[in-house]
Amino acid sequence: MSEKYDVIVIGAGPAGYVAAIRAAQLGLKAACVDAFAGKDGKQALGGTCLNVGCIPSKALLDSSRQFHNLTHNFGVHGITADNAKIDVPTFIGRKDKIVKQFTGGVAQLFKANKITPYFGTGKLLKGNSVEITGPDGTKQTISATNVILASGSVPIELPFAKFDNKMILDNAGALDLAEVPKRLGVIGAGVIGLELGSVWKRLGSDVTILEALPDFLSVADADVAKVAAREFAKQGLTIKLGAKLTKADIKKKEVHLTYEDKDGAHELVVDKLLVAVGRRAYTAGLLADDTGVKLDERGRIVVDEHNHTGVDGVWAIGDAVRGPMLAHKGSEEGVAVAEWIAGKAGHVNLDTVPWVIYTEPEIAWAGKTEKQLKDEGVPYKVGSFPFAAIGRAVAMNEAVGQVKMIAHAETDRILGVHMVGPGVSELIAECVVAMEFKGSSEDLARIVHAHPTLSEAVHEAALSVDKRAIHKGN
Ligand code: FAD
Ligand code: AMP
């Protein structure tokens, strides 16, 4: 007799482990199957996000930011330090410790919530059983009334630049270098390329980012992208747009790149190459042939607006399904699915999922860009406010960027907020709350914001929508 559960989750990333915890909170007997092994070969719960994504990248971004500030920005405060050095093993070791703390934390949460973890690869069988193949090849089958597929995503590999994680790196490799590469090539100026490119640039690498598209950061609002491009250039990050990598050959201890742009083919030689051209849903070995679960043209598991696959009792969440590939989006889907299974009213609003890029300056947005609204023919008005006029930002010596707010021209409902500047990863939360409550720019304009704080930029941008910002000309 196989062990029987109310809910089996396949995948313990931020989508899957959160789904398992919420299911357990609601009184459901839950199990979670995950194949990820840490550096010690033992099970490491938390998926991409905790092991090789959000958390380790932020640890390295924070350490490298401290080093960069010490070597470049502290002089203005009257602080100088001679011979500042970075010890890469300590830098990486701190990150590893943080990862271990958080993956271990998920194991503790599973214990506290009486969730059974299984270490191995899970395959959904017809009739909602899951076959688990352990790291030693042993197989066992468990079953449940409901199965939640949360298998996440993996980096896209270019056929002519295969990952070896020695010379040609994916995200995991770029988070684990033993020394600062003299020359680092990055393919793709997306979120991951910009964040990890920044980490090694701050430690002294000569970083060149090649981006196939002609526009920089085209997912973001154009005004935000413009400020970000200018600031990255000032930092010495070389970003070549309209530059498509076509070849990467490893020769001795170098990677020889060929890329094409409007002027023809060019060569570039680097010591390490990070390929960050996007991620794809991961479903290898996940589904037996006869489950009835469908994949779309991009290999994502097909789900309806309630994350249901159309097969009785089978749900899917996170990076493996449509929508932005972001940890918090997956987690909210996990909560909602557990609630739907328990007969409650789950809720996920994909229209207000905030995006954050943790570069310097940070970039954050929620809702529609000005271009999207133009294309959709929606009438809108715009307010903006620069951090240069925010006392706190100037006191911090980080007075770069702006907050831009877009509201409906007739109803004043906030349709999008786009930020680049200090602390905007936190500031965006206020705007998401306002948007979730269908708030107007006037609502935010009438709310008291503490002085002096960075949040005053949000307040002033809201006032500026109605051309009544106090600390700038309107
Ligand atoms: P995953 O986290 O990918 O987890 C899936 C898990 O399922 C993995 O452990 C995998 O081993 C396991 N699995 C897959 N198939 C099976 C199977 N058949 N059997 C058993 N186990 C299986 N997002 C943010 O929101 N903020 C950030 O700052 C951020 N930074 C990032 C930085 C980097 C470098 C990267 C690569 C990603 C970053 N992301 C960030 C994206 C974020 O990591 C993903 O959106 C998130 O991890 C998706 O969660 P998930 O649970 O859907 O999948
Ligand atoms: P993201 O999907 O945000 O991680 O960004 C990945 C980026 O990589 C996209 O902006 C793509 O345009 C870019 N890209 C994909 N293939 C190539 C290539 N061969 N050369 C350069 N850039 C690429």
Side-chain angles (χ1 to χ4, degrees):
M1 264 289 282
S2 74
E3 189 74 28
K4 173 107 190 160
Y5 294 91
D6 296 318
V7 177
I8 298 170
V9 185
I10 303 182
Y17 86 72
V18 169
I21 291 173
R22 186 67 188 125
Q25 284 175 347
L26 292 165
L28 300 168
K29 184 180 173 194
C32 187
V33 186
D34 194 278
F36 204 102
K39 284 185 175 176
D40 56 6
K42 295 195 179 130
Q43 185 173 34
L45 301 168
T48 303
C49 174
L50 267 57
N51 285 288
V52 289
C54 328
I55 297 298
S57 61
K58 265 77 262 179
L60 297 191
L61 277 160
D62 209 57
S63 294
S64 61
R65 179 173 191 259
Q66 312 265 20
F67 183 70
H68 180 82
N69 282 340
L70 179 64
T71 48
H72 291 79
N73 297 333
F74 280 176
V76 72
H77 298 278
I79 303 167
T80 50
D82 294 334
N83 299 323
K85 285 193 193 69
I86 182 90
D87 179 62
V88 176
T90 307
F91 168 75
I92 296 291
R94 186 189 89 100
K95 178 264 301 178
D96 287 342
K97 226 169 122 188
I98 293 167
V99 167
K100 218 167 173 169
Q101 178 186 337
F102 279 83
T103 57
V106 176
Q108 288 304 317
L109 288 169
F110 275 11
K111 210 177 242 172
N113 285 285
K114 301 193 171 48
I115 296 160
T116 311
Y118 287 89
F119 186 18
T121 303
K123 179 191 246 179
L124 176 71
L125 308 178
K126 194 174 174 184
N128 300 356
S129 296
V130 174
E131 179 190 79
I132 304 165
T133 307
D136 59 358
T138 54
K139 289 189 194 293
Q140 62 178 313
T141 303
I142 57 177
S143 62
T145 317
N146 290 278
V147 178
I148 304 174
L149 306 171
S151 51
S153 63
V154 287
I156 293 174
E157 193 169 54
L158 296 172
F160 48 84
K162 296 238 183 236
F163 298 122
D164 63 3
N165 271 341
K166 290 190 180 80
M167 303 293 285
I168 301 183
L169 315 170
D170 63 11
N171 53 297
L175 289 163
D176 238 0
L177 291 174
E179 55 189 53
V180 180
K182 208 165 161 318
R183 297 159 299 180
L184 174 68
V186 179
I187 310 304
V191 178
I192 294 170
L194 288 171
E195 288 188 2
L196 296 181
S198 293
V199 164
W200 295 105
K201 171 71 204 161
R202 291 169 187 172
L203 300 194
S205 276
D206 185 0
V207 176
T208 306
I209 305 182
L210 304 180
E211 167 55 55
L213 296 176
D215 295 321
F216 178 63
L217 214 54
S218 51
V219 285
D221 193 83
D223 288 335
V224 162
K226 206 163 116 191
V227 173
R230 189 186 66 213
E231 292 304 316
F232 296 152
K234 270 196 219 160
Q235 291 162 18
L237 266 180
T238 305
I239 302 175
K240 293 185 188 293
L241 298 174
K244 191 167 182 212
L245 183 77
T246 53
K247 211 165 141 207
D249 291 330
I250 299 174
K251 290 185 189 161
K252 291 190 186 144
K253 290 204 156 133
E254 292 176 332
V255 193
H256 290 243
L257 310 180
T258 307
Y259 66 91
E260 284 168 15
D261 65 12
K262 59 180 176 14
D263 302 320
H266 307 266
E267 306 278 313
L268 178 71
V269 179
V270 294
D271 301 298
K272 302 274 179 196
L273 179 68
L274 162 62
V275 178
V277 295
R279 297 178 64 82
R280 61 176 173 81
Y282 181 66
T283 54
L286 178 71
L287 304 167
D289 292 340
D290 56 354
T291 60
V293 174
K294 292 193 180 63
L295 304 182
D296 69 12
E297 71 294 345
R298 288 169 60 186
R300 300 173 301 190
I301 300 167
V302 175
V303 288
D304 65 13
E305 70 278 17
H306 286 149
N307 290 86
H308 195 257
T309 63
V311 175
D312 216 16
V314 182
W315 313 72
I317 56 177
D319 279 12
V321 305
R322 84 285 178 264
M325 286 185 164
L326 293 167
H328 41 284
K329 173 266 191 184
S331 298
E332 290 311 314
E333 288 179 329
V335 168
V337 165
E339 292 181 348
W340 284 317
I341 288 172
K344 297 190 171 299
H347 166 88
V348 187
N349 182 2
L350 292 181
D351 292 338
T352 54
V353 174
W355 286 76
V356 178
I357 308 179
Y358 298 80
T359 44
E360 187 80 5
E362 291 184 341
I363 298 164
W365 72 91
K368 301 267 167 119
T369 63
E370 209 176 327
K371 180 172 183 311
Q372 283 169 330
L373 292 169
K374 232 177 235 161
D375 291 347
E376 290 169 19
V378 177
Y380 63 86
K381 47 191 178 169
V382 177
S384 67
F385 197 82
F387 283 103
I390 294 294
R392 186 75 194 279
V394 174
M396 290 162 65
N397 194 40
E398 291 183 39
V400 163
Q402 60 165 356
V403 173
K404 169 173 169 179
M405 192 172 294
I406 312 177
H408 195 282
E410 286 134 29
T411 66
D412 192 34
R413 181 170 167 183
I414 302 168
L415 302 173
V417 185
H418 304 273
M419 307 178 173
V420 53
V424 298
S425 56
E426 304 292 341
L427 295 185
I428 195 67
E430 170 184 8
C431 301
V432 173
V433 172
M435 290 168 73
E436 195 61 42
F437 286 111
K438 301 186 171 39
S440 62
S441 77
E442 190 182 350
D443 288 329
L444 283 183
R446 286 181 183 274
I447 290 172
V448 183
H449 288 71
H451 175 74
T453 62
L454 299 173
S455 73
E456 288 173 292
V458 175
H459 190 216
E460 288 271 18
L463 286 161
S464 156
V465 172
D466 195 33
K467 306 227 173 309
R468 56 191 180 102
I470 301 296
H471 296 92
K472 72 161 198 175
N474 285 288

